[in-house]
Amino acid sequence: MYFYTKIIFILLIFFSYALTYLLSRTNSIKALQKIFVITLSSLLIFAIIFQETVMNKLAAILGVGRGPDAVLYLFISLSLSINFLLAKKLIDLEDKIRKLTQNIALSKK
């Protein structure tokens, strides 16, 4: 793997973490998720239709040997960003549950 490929993946991970952090302060996660799913789905359909050219060019851009390797690296980056979003949602849900239980406990006194 080339040096600039490692830089690209490090930047992707940093970008996904920063995006997760910034979105945690707003309520626009649902809209961004819909855009993300539509974009990813259309890219996957495009990659399936033009499999040889897309995968080979993607591998050439990222500096890896083969197309499936490039897909694997991108999948790892995407799954990491999705895990960040899910972790943030879990933290928000735990916070909401904690607040609800505190309110219920205080109202019964």
Side-chain angles (χ1 to χ4, degrees):
M1 184 184 299
Y2 295 120
F3 179 72
Y4 69 88
T5 306
K6 292 178 184 178
I7 298 295
I8 288 172
F9 285 119
I10 289 171
L11 288 176
L12 273 172
I13 291 168
F14 177 74
F15 177 73
S16 64
Y17 182 73
L19 186 66
T20 304
Y21 178 74
L22 291 174
L23 287 177
S24 67
R25 296 179 169 226
T26 65
N27 291 330
S28 62
I29 292 177
K30 289 185 180 182
L32 186 70
Q33 284 177 345
K34 289 177 184 178
I35 292 171
F36 178 71
V37 167
I38 290 171
T39 304
L40 186 62
S41 300
S42 61
L43 287 175
L44 285 174
I45 290 170
F46 183 74
I48 289 170
I49 292 172
F50 302 107
Q51 183 177 7
E52 293 298 321
T53 51
V54 171
M55 297 302 172
N56 290 335
K57 287 187 180 187
L58 182 65
I61 289 170
L62 294 176
V64 295
R66 302 177 309 142
D69 294 338
V71 171
L72 176 67
Y73 293 134
L74 288 177
F75 173 75
I76 291 169
S77 300
L78 283 173
S79 64
L80 184 63
S81 63
I82 290 170
N83 285 337
F84 284 143
L85 285 173
L86 289 175
K88 181 58 187 159
K89 281 187 173 186
L90 283 174
I91 291 169
D92 289 342
L93 285 174
E94 288 174 352
D95 189 44
K96 287 180 183 178
I97 290 171
R98 183 184 52 81
K99 287 179 182 177
L100 281 173
T101 54
Q102 286 176 352
N103 287 337
I104 291 171
L106 291 174
S107 67
K108 288 189 177 187
K109 285 188 175 183

